[in-house]
């Protein structure tokens, strides 16, 4: 069957929303504090923006921008988690 990429673009947007929601769990469960929460929300919204841009467009450039944003997002999010972790 012929693939138009519509499914991939839709999945990208859905999974960006899911990633944003899951990234808030450390703060909501008490593992991380307000600095992490604010950073996770900000980073998640930016990544979601790139995901929506890719999901509504059709270009290699948008795909590459989303990939770059993802490669920046993950290390920054983990750094926030390490810096803002709470004592267990």
């Amino acid at each position: 069957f012929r693939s138009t990429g519509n499914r991939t673009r839709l999945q990208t947007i859905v999974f960006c929303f899911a990633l944003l929601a899951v990234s808030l769990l450390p703060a909501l469960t008490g593992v991380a504090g307000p600095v992490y929460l604010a950073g996770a929300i900000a980073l998640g919204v930016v990544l979601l923006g790139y995901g929506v841009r890719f999901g509504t467009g059709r270009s290699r450039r948008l795909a590459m921008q989303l990939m770059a944003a993802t490669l920046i997002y993950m290390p920054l999010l983990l750094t926030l988690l390490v810096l803002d972790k709470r004592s267990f």
Side-chain angles (χ1 to χ4, degrees):
F1 78 101
R2 188 171 158 256
S3 174
T4 60
N6 290 335
R7 181 181 291 169
T8 300
R9 288 191 293 277
L10 177 62
Q11 286 177 344
T12 299
I13 294 169
V14 169
F15 287 124
C16 282
F17 272 113
L19 186 60
L20 175 59
V22 170
S23 72
L24 301 179
L25 288 177
L28 298 176
T29 59
V31 174
V35 172
Y36 172 82
L37 179 61
I41 291 170
L43 289 171
V45 167
V46 169
L47 185 64
L48 180 61
Y50 278 100
V52 168
R53 284 180 58 210
F54 169 73
T56 58
R58 288 188 133 176
S59 78
R60 182 178 173 90
R61 181 182 60 83
L62 292 173
M64 296 302 287
Q65 288 175 351
L66 175 60
M67 182 65 174
T70 303
L71 292 173
I72 294 167
Y73 168 83
M74 291 305 295
L76 286 178
L77 189 68
L78 292 174
T79 300
L80 280 171
L81 186 60
V82 169
L83 294 177
D84 195 40
K85 82 174 178 135
R86 301 227 170 165
S87 299
F88 292 102

